[in-house]
Amino acid sequence: MDNCIGYRKYVSIYLSIYLSIYLSIYLSIYLSIRTSVTHSISEQLELIDDVKVKKLKLAAAAKKYGIDYSTAAKILKKEDDLRSCMQMNGNTNRKRKRQSVHKDVNEALTQWFTQACAHEATVTDHIIRQKASQLAVNLEVDFEPSNGWLMRWKQANNASFKKFHGESTSADHGSANEWATNVLPQLFRGYDPKDVWNCDETGIFYKAMPSGSLRFAGDEKSNGTKVPKDRLTMLQFTNMDGSEKQAVVVGKSAIPRWFKNVKTLPFS
């Protein structure tokens, strides 16, 4: 009987020790996971807006974003830094704001890039590297722009390659507006809107297929085909009030020879 009681006491002590160790390990893992949760800059700004704009209590906001109360309070204190990063067109998907080793070069390059974009200058990766090297020499900094640095700089400043479309930047908008305001009305005097015509040519790639297609989610097959270059040149014209609209097929040539020195169009 005494042996049985002693055995039960030994088992209960063993289980209590085992459970205490298990709970301590579980709590340490849980807390490490909970405290390691980081949010992007945009998510942190959303938390700030929830508290200050939507009047959500800080404890409720911390619970919503899966962080503790102290972390949420720290996010509120650095609101100015987060807002400035947003205004500087920074990458708001980043979770931490890391300071670069070559901070002076990066800041000077970002200022130059902002001015270049404001003047609609063409800037490539090669130009960015050349300018960074030039700024490093001016600032007397030992720096060599690498591929990794260029990638991090573009990510930090939310810069990406964009393909130009159209020719709007080549137009003289100031002269065009002045001509349309002062000269064009004088030319229209004495003419009805139905007698004022405009025409332009365009190319029709009549064998070309659409550049994309609908697919089911998860279907990664997106292989394209060679785009046919067969084209027709078409002349389209209409009058000012839109009462008449016509179009004629000129031919397959992009610049038809018989259009050279033509002074009258084939319509009455």
Side-chain angles (χ1 to χ4, degrees):
M1 188 68 178
D2 293 337
N3 292 335
C4 183
I5 294 173
Y7 177 76
R8 289 179 179 178
K9 185 182 294 185
Y10 174 78
V11 171
S12 63
I13 294 173
Y14 175 80
L15 288 175
S16 62
I17 295 173
Y18 175 79
L19 288 175
S20 62
I21 295 174
Y22 176 80
L23 288 175
S24 63
I25 294 174
Y26 175 79
L27 288 174
S28 63
I29 295 175
Y30 173 77
L31 291 176
S32 64
I33 294 175
R34 184 176 177 84
T35 56
S36 65
V37 174
T38 55
H39 296 282
S40 63
I41 295 175
S42 60
E43 290 173 335
Q44 295 180 49
L45 289 174
E46 289 178 4
L47 183 146
I48 294 172
D49 291 337
D50 286 344
V51 174
K52 292 192 173 182
V53 178
K54 299 180 181 179
K55 304 301 180 181
L56 188 66
K57 290 186 177 180
L58 186 59
K63 183 178 180 181
K64 176 182 176 180
Y65 291 92
I67 56 178
D68 53 29
Y69 186 90
S70 60
T71 303
K74 291 178 181 178
I75 292 176
L76 283 178
K77 290 181 180 179
K78 60 180 183 179
E79 179 184 1
D80 293 338
D81 293 337
L82 297 174
R83 300 289 184 191
S84 63
C85 180
M86 176 73 75
Q87 293 177 356
M88 290 296 293
N89 195 30
N91 183 6
T92 56
N93 291 323
R94 290 181 298 159
K95 295 187 176 181
R96 293 183 179 87
K97 185 180 178 181
R98 294 186 174 91
Q99 296 293 341
S100 173
V101 177
H102 309 287
K103 180 181 178 181
D104 295 338
V105 176
N106 287 354
E107 290 181 352
L109 181 63
T110 301
Q111 292 179 3
W112 173 86
F113 181 68
T114 303
Q115 295 175 359
C117 292
H119 290 83
E120 299 183 352
T122 301
V123 182
T124 62
D125 289 354
H126 180 67
I127 294 176
I128 287 291
R129 286 185 178 181
Q130 283 188 329
K131 192 63 181 179
S133 299
Q134 179 184 350
L135 292 171
V137 173
N138 296 339
L139 295 171
E140 298 181 354
V141 176
D142 185 12
F143 170 70
E144 184 67 26
S146 61
N147 291 333
W149 167 85
L150 180 61
M151 180 188 67
R152 291 189 296 272
W153 181 87
K154 291 195 293 186
Q155 289 177 348
N157 292 279
N158 203 21
S160 60
F161 181 82
K162 296 183 182 298
K163 188 175 181 180
F164 293 142
H165 298 281
E167 302 174 354
S168 60
T169 55
S170 301
D172 187 352
H173 296 284
S175 299
N177 292 333
E178 182 180 356
W179 187 86
T181 304
N182 301 323
V183 180
L184 189 60
Q186 301 296 329
L187 298 177
F188 286 163
R189 281 188 176 182
Y191 294 94
D192 292 331
K194 66 178 182 179
D195 295 327
V196 180
W197 290 77
N198 184 34
C199 67
D200 200 359
E201 60 175 333
T202 184
I204 300 178
F205 295 89
Y206 57 94
K207 289 187 178 181
M209 296 294 291
S211 59
S213 176
L214 293 176
R215 289 290 186 272
F216 285 109
D219 188 356
E220 298 179 356
K221 294 181 180 180
S222 59
N223 297 327
T225 58
K226 186 176 180 180
V227 179
K229 300 298 182 181
D230 303 77
R231 61 169 287 160
L232 291 174
T233 301
M234 177 174 287
L235 182 67
Q236 301 175 349
F237 42 91
T238 181
N239 57 356
M240 190 174 179
D241 63 0
S243 59
E244 295 187 51
K245 300 176 184 178
Q246 300 183 34
V248 294
V249 176
V250 176
K252 295 184 178 180
S253 176
I255 306 177
R257 290 184 178 180
W258 65 269
F259 249 32
K260 186 177 181 180
N261 299 325
V262 172
K263 295 183 180 179
T264 58
L265 296 175
F267 63 88
S268 57

